[in-house]
Amino acid sequence: MSIRVVVADDQEIVRTGLTMILNSQPGIEVVGEAANGQRAVELARRLRPDVCLFDIRMPGVDGIAATRALAGPEVADPLAVVVITTFDLDEYVYAALRAGARGFLLKDAGTVMLAQAVRAAADGEAMIAPSITARLLRTFAGSGPAAPVQPVDALTDREEQVLTAVARGRTNAEIGAELHITLSTVKTHVTSLMNKLGARNRVEIAIWAYETHRVHGR
């Protein structure tokens, strides 16, 4: 089945372009478009797409607020949101991911990366533009809680390896290849990490890795 996507951007030409790109990708279908955050939230709640692709800067309800409404900590059944923007600013990245976004891309990321981000989000993974991954995680580590939450149970050696790989932005397939384990085993370890750390997604796993100095930003 196709990955169903809702696209929101206040610029019609950008919205149309994103829709055309995604509809041209195998297994991806745009099922709704919105010109502002309020409409995007309404559409997403009604259509329950697999992935929402939101611009940050929109009139009224912006992409951050829309993301929080659909994927924030208080949302019982969060949707997968990927935020896309023209502006490579730390405060945008920080706000988007804290609001619950599962990915963050720049609009010049290109067709391949855009499709990869949508597929990753639909599969429960997180994809962030490589140019800002280390920097944004360093920002998270510096702005997060002074004492990172300790895991309910100690991490195994293998979980520590998977943790480091997730923090460096590796996909499940890449982690499996690096550690010579199956994809299902990787997913099991990621799920275990989320449970032990109380993390809602891979981004929060990565943040914890940086806050506890398991990985250091460059």
Side-chain angles (χ1 to χ4, degrees):
M1 293 183 62
S2 293
I3 297 170
R4 300 166 64 254
V5 183
V6 164
V7 174
D9 194 297
D10 62 328
Q11 297 184 359
E12 183 178 2
I13 190 169
V14 174
R15 194 169 65 249
T16 300
L18 291 171
T19 298
M20 290 178 62
I21 289 172
L22 292 175
N23 279 337
S24 70
Q25 302 302 305
I28 299 178
E29 177 189 7
V30 175
V31 295
E33 297 180 37
N36 59 67
Q38 181 176 344
R39 175 61 175 158
V41 171
E42 292 170 353
L43 264 181
R45 284 176 173 165
R46 177 165 59 85
L47 298 176
R48 299 296 301 179
D50 301 299
V51 179
C52 299
L53 183 65
F54 290 169
D55 182 29
I56 282 186
R57 299 181 66 173
M58 294 186 287
V61 177
D62 64 15
I64 302 296
T67 298
R68 189 176 298 110
L70 297 171
E74 304 304 317
V75 179
D77 189 15
L79 292 172
V81 179
V82 174
V83 171
I84 185 167
T85 181
T86 306
F87 305 96
D88 180 11
L89 299 176
D90 284 344
E91 57 265 34
Y92 281 171
V93 180
Y94 183 87
L97 297 181
R98 281 297 188 201
R102 197 172 285 177
F104 187 99
L105 291 178
L106 301 179
K107 288 184 179 177
D108 63 0
T111 300
V112 173
M113 189 172 293
L114 177 62
Q116 287 177 343
V118 168
R119 291 193 174 100
D123 196 35
E125 300 188 18
M127 183 168 180
I128 302 160
S131 62
I132 57 178
T133 300
R135 193 189 74 227
L136 79 89
L137 287 171
R138 190 164 57 247
T139 299
F140 266 109
S143 304
V149 63
Q150 293 304 306
V152 176
D153 297 306
L155 304 187
T156 66
D157 290 343
R158 182 64 87 187
E159 286 170 348
E160 290 279 4
Q161 293 173 331
V162 173
L163 171 75
T164 300
V166 168
R168 288 183 170 140
R170 303 291 193 268
T171 65
N172 283 351
E174 289 169 340
I175 295 171
E178 287 180 10
L179 301 181
H180 306 291
I181 55 179
T182 65
L183 190 60
S184 62
T185 300
V186 175
K187 291 180 178 180
T188 297
H189 286 310
V190 171
T191 299
S192 179
L193 283 169
M194 290 173 64
N195 291 335
K196 287 185 177 182
L197 303 179
R200 288 160 51 88
N201 52 51
R202 296 167 73 93
V203 173
E204 292 185 0
I205 291 175
I207 294 167
W208 189 86
Y210 273 76
E211 288 178 339
T212 55
H213 307 294
R214 272 137 166 109
V215 181
H216 300 278
R218 292 187 298 273

